């Protein structure tokens, strides 16, 4: 499936940066060590589960990715930033599983929350994901308009 890069958004926090490196290298051991250190360091379990889900998505295990995201969503509760990241990850999982329309729905939810939070990194990630979803449903013109948004590098 057409899936935007999961690792090209700039200024990632250290755990996400290490996870992205492990995913790019195809090194599940490095990823699990990073996750273990994060758990030991008291990191937010919702964040950890979202990172695990993205790794599972990159490995093609959609069922595990969905389960990890549901766990992350429970951990995040009503926290708006966690909700934006959950919706973004669900958009990616939906796109990868062939449900680009659900990906659009989730991507729009992530975009709206990211804008409400004035989170430019979240907004760019949501826009990139939306472009990929629109492209997957044959809406090339909409995808191109989204990609030409001034905030999308």
């Amino acid at each position: 499936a057409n899936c935007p890069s999961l690792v090209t958004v700039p200024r990632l926090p250290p755990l996400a940066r290490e996870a992205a490196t492990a995913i790019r290298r195809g090194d599940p051991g490095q990823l699990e060590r990073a996750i273990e250190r994060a758990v030991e360091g008291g990191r937010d379990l919702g964040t950890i589960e979202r990172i695990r889900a993205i790794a599972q998505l990159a490995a093609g295990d959609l069922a595990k990715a969905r389960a990890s995201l549901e766990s992350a969503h429970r951990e995040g509760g009503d926290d708006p930033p966690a909700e934006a990241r959950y919706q973004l990850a669900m958009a990616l999982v939906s796109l990868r599983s062939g449900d680009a329309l659900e990906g659009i729905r989730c991507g729009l939810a992530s975009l709206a929350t990211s804008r409400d939070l004035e989170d430019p990194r979240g907004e760019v990630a949501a826009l990139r994901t939306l472009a990929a979803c629109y492209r997957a449903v044959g809406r090339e013109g909409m995808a191109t308009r989204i990609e030409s948004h001034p905030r999308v590098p």
Side-chain angles (χ1 to χ4, degrees):
N2 234 352
C3 191
S5 172
L6 304 177
V7 294
T8 59
V9 177
R11 298 182 318 264
L12 291 172
L15 173 60
R17 190 173 37 251
E18 187 173 355
T21 299
I23 292 167
R24 266 197 311 266
R25 291 181 181 162
D27 186 346
Q30 178 186 1
L31 179 65
E32 282 306 313
R33 288 188 298 279
I35 289 172
E36 287 171 15
R37 283 193 302 279
V39 170
E40 290 168 5
R43 283 297 306 255
D44 169 55
L45 293 179
T47 298
I48 291 167
E49 285 300 306
R50 272 189 304 282
I51 288 173
R52 182 173 280 130
I54 295 301
Q56 292 161 337
L57 176 62
D61 195 334
L62 300 175
K64 282 185 180 178
R66 278 189 194 277
S68 292
L69 282 176
E70 292 305 323
S71 175
H73 197 237
R74 284 189 300 277
E75 291 292 332
D78 294 333
D79 179 53
E83 180 65 21
R85 291 185 295 270
Y86 165 77
Q87 291 294 342
L88 178 64
M90 283 303 295
L92 292 168
V93 170
S94 297
L95 176 61
R96 183 67 64 88
S97 25
D99 190 354
L101 292 176
E102 178 67 9
I104 290 169
R105 188 192 69 72
C106 293
L108 288 170
S110 178
L111 178 63
T113 303
S114 294
R115 285 183 172 166
D116 286 347
L117 295 169
E118 298 178 5
D119 174 10
R121 191 177 63 191
E123 184 177 346
V124 168
L127 287 167
R128 286 180 176 169
T129 301
L130 281 166
C133 289
Y134 278 111
R135 191 165 279 116
V137 296
R139 304 268 322 267
E140 184 63 37
M142 179 63 85
T144 300
R145 281 193 295 282
I146 290 170
E147 290 169 336
S148 67
H149 188 281
R151 291 205 178 159
V152 178

